[in-house]
Amino acid sequence: AQKVTQAQTEISVVEKEDVTLDCVYETRDTTYYLFWYKQPPSGELVFLIRRNSFDEQNEISGRYSWNFQKSTSSFNFTITASQVVDSAVYFCALSGPLMGNTPLVFGKGTRLSVIA
Amino acid sequence: GAGVSQSPSNKVTEKGKDVELRCDPISGHTALYWYRQRLGQGLEFLIYFQGNSAPDKSGLPSDRFSAERTGESVSTLTIQRTQQEDSAVYLCASSLMNVEAFFGQGTRLTVV
């Protein structure tokens, strides 16, 4: 069975601080995909990144970076120099070997509040 | 359309009534998903369609819930004899193979 755990329910930081959102997953598949989605107060889920299980390179996109470590089954997300607009609920998700052919399993989300 | 479209955006219904929620996926997307999100909670998988294959209904919480999709087009999620516990945002997403899922803005259902 697949499972995604986001142990941090809520995080509050002051603007310009760095913050890391944790994600730990469980799967029996050898090939799988990991995702992060952002859900701002408007409610719509916004795709941020996907990573397949064979690619353990870290990725950086502007102030966002992702650290995938297969050895610890973790896919953590760091926001550098956080801004108020980063305030949202962030979801980590997992899918099976055929992305788009199996449902996404989501974690319960981490609510990030960035205070000015 | 450019994105996944869901209607209505808000629905208030009386307990015991049936409701139908609609999802228009991105054109050409073969996969379509329904999720439920209760207030302050994560996303709960309900049902998944992929092309003409039999849907994965493993997430439907009871036999009051059903969903249909004709081919690779519109899907409707039906909740019969609604209960207050059904109050939630119902999210639809669509995707192609090997492409991430894109979500609609959801239908907020309130059962009074």
Side-chain angles (χ1 to χ4, degrees):
Chain A
Q2 296 184 326
K3 184 179 178 181
V4 176
T5 302
Q6 294 180 255
Q8 304 150 308
T9 307
E10 294 193 32
I11 299 176
S12 186
V13 298
V14 176
E15 202 170 23
K16 297 184 184 175
E17 285 185 355
D18 299 347
V19 58
T20 295
L21 310 181
D22 297 333
C23 173
V24 174
Y25 62 91
E26 296 175 30
T27 180
R28 293 178 185 164
D29 294 320
T30 53
T31 302
Y32 51 88
Y33 292 84
L34 294 159
F35 306 80
W36 277 95
Y37 283 83
K38 174 181 179 179
Q39 188 176 41
S42 61
E44 185 170 356
L45 277 111
V46 177
F47 164 77
L48 295 178
I49 190 172
R50 76 167 183 266
R51 178 51 50 86
N52 75 54
S53 51
F54 293 107
D55 182 2
E56 289 194 69
Q57 275 196 328
N58 290 331
E59 182 157 343
I60 298 174
S61 176
R63 296 185 296 107
Y64 294 171
S65 62
W66 290 269
N67 182 3
F68 175 34
Q69 292 199 346
K70 220 167 173 177
S71 60
T72 55
S73 297
S74 65
F75 186 44
N76 296 337
F77 173 30
T78 297
I79 302 174
T80 304
S82 59
Q83 299 177 1
V84 172
V85 294
D86 296 328
S87 296
V89 181
Y90 291 86
F91 291 97
C92 181
L94 169 70
S95 79
L98 296 176
M99 183 172 57
N101 204 34
T102 53
L104 287 168
V105 174
F106 283 82
K108 293 188 182 299
T110 297
R111 181 177 300 277
L112 174 65
S113 298
V114 181
I115 304 163
Chain B
V4 178
S5 177
Q6 292 187 246
S7 61
S9 53
N10 279 285
K11 176 73 177 178
V12 180
T13 189
E14 290 182 355
K15 179 180 172 182
K17 297 279 176 106
D18 298 351
V19 294
E20 269 193 7
L21 312 181
R22 177 186 170 106
C23 173
D24 281 274
I26 293 172
S27 179
H29 278 196
T30 54
L32 187 147
Y33 314 76
W34 282 99
Y35 289 85
R36 177 169 71 179
Q37 186 177 27
R38 291 195 167 109
L39 186 63
Q41 302 296 311
L43 277 76
E44 177 187 3
F45 166 71
L46 296 177
I47 189 169
Y48 161 75
F49 296 90
Q50 170 58 263
N52 293 319
S53 302
D56 177 351
K57 302 180 182 179
S58 60
L60 294 178
S62 78
D63 59 7
R64 295 187 297 104
F65 287 73
S66 63
E68 291 184 351
R69 186 185 189 197
T70 304
E72 296 178 357
S73 62
V74 171
S75 175
T76 54
L77 176 69
T78 302
I79 309 173
Q80 295 178 311
R81 305 181 302 282
T82 51
Q83 304 293 313
Q84 287 186 329
E85 70 215 37
D86 300 333
S87 296
V89 175
Y90 289 81
L91 290 160
C92 176
S94 72
S95 73
L96 287 166
M97 290 288 289
N98 296 322
V99 175
E100 57 276 2
F102 293 90
F103 282 80
Q105 291 199 309
T107 293
R108 182 175 300 278
L109 175 66
T110 304
V111 182
V112 297

